[in-house]
Amino acid sequence: LTRAEPRYAAALAAFLARFDFGALSLPDALSLPDALRLLFAALRCPGEAQKIDRLMQAFARSYFGDGHAPFRDADEVYAVAFSVMMLNVDHHNPSVRSKMS
């Protein structure tokens, strides 16, 4: 789903469309960390940085498209979601010796 070819991008978009991040009305809508948990529970995160980047960009477009008000555009969602993911990996991965704190 995270390869660079257009057919994989379309498949990833279709997969993410199955998640309705905005189904609940605010303030009950999924928070960004909850939406990330839901996404990563449904798939195995690829190990290659470019694939992770494509996945996170597609997630950001989908999450923003579902109408989450605190964000002005999908780029803001991407920046915050990627930061949350990186901090989570830093905190929970025992292979990371030097923690960000």
Side-chain angles (χ1 to χ4, degrees):
L1 290 177
T2 55
R3 294 184 186 170
E5 292 109 36
R7 67 183 175 145
Y8 291 105
L12 179 58
F15 173 73
L16 288 170
R18 304 279 301 161
F19 297 92
D20 191 4
F21 300 119
L24 303 171
S25 60
L26 290 174
D28 295 330
L30 285 175
S31 69
L32 186 60
D34 289 337
L36 283 170
R37 282 186 200 100
L38 183 65
L39 173 67
F40 287 122
L43 58 82
R44 183 182 157 275
C45 188
E48 186 180 325
Q50 290 175 332
K51 290 181 177 184
I52 294 170
D53 185 60
R54 284 191 287 271
L55 174 64
M56 295 303 288
Q57 287 178 359
F59 166 78
R61 286 190 298 271
S62 179
Y63 187 82
F64 181 73
D66 282 346
H68 289 278
F71 299 103
R72 291 180 291 189
D73 56 29
D75 290 338
E76 282 187 6
V77 176
Y78 171 80
V80 174
F82 206 92
S83 298
V84 167
M85 182 191 65
M86 292 299 296
L87 287 169
N88 194 21
V89 168
D90 181 71
H91 182 71
H92 293 287
N93 190 334
S95 300
V96 178
R97 297 183 194 269
S98 179
K99 302 289 184 185
M100 289 184 227
S101 323

